[in-house]
Amino acid sequence: MSEDATFEDGREAPLRLKALDGEDLSVIASLVQDAVFPASEMRWDSKARRFAILLNRFRWEDAPRAQARKRPFERVQAVLAFEDVLRVQSQGVDKSDPDLVFSLLSIAYTPDEDGTGRVELTLAGDGVIALDVEALEVVLRDVTRPYAAPSGKAPSHPE
């Protein structure tokens, strides 16, 4: 009889995940919960229909191992990219200060009947970034080596 794999069974490798539906997106959302990023690291390329953020995400997948081995919790820089974006709107997001740091709390997807939909990124402090998408396609890709979390602590565990 075989058992399901656990985080501890995984190998140390950068994440590269793709979401094409709401269920897939919930996995990515849990891995980027409590990620932080400066305003200067958000990009909307209307011609390419891509919205991307270079963020510093907490390595939730490594937290149980770090705690068990009594080593520092880690963060890693990752690109969170949304494809087929038709429109970007924001509320409570001050983009004028490039040094302002945002904290990503959650990502939600609401599909429309015609296959389009809306992705909402909720930020700490009541900020929201809304993306109208032709189809859901989201990629999360780690782009640096992990580093010790500056706070030395884990954020509240994702739901």
Side-chain angles (χ1 to χ4, degrees), residues 17-92:
L17 302 173
K18 187 178 216 176
L20 299 174
D21 61 30
E23 190 175 330
D24 294 344
L25 184 59
S26 68
V27 173
I28 289 177
S30 69
L31 291 166
V32 297
Q33 182 177 351
D34 299 310
V36 293
F37 59 95
S40 61
E41 295 299 344
M42 288 188 287
R43 294 282 186 275
W44 159 231
D45 183 342
S46 59
K47 188 173 182 177
R49 299 184 353 163
R50 178 178 299 119
F51 179 80
I53 305 171
L54 177 64
L55 46 80
N56 298 285
R57 71 172 190 85
F58 183 80
R59 291 189 67 224
W60 289 109
E61 70 279 13
D62 182 64
R65 190 175 314 150
Q67 194 168 25
R69 295 182 182 166
K70 296 185 180 0
R71 64 170 170 75
F73 290 112
E74 295 177 336
R75 284 193 176 264
V76 64
Q77 282 196 313
V79 173
L80 179 63
F82 298 84
E83 304 295 336
D84 297 320
V85 177
L86 303 171
R87 183 171 64 162
V88 177
Q89 297 175 301
S90 64
Q91 177 180 327

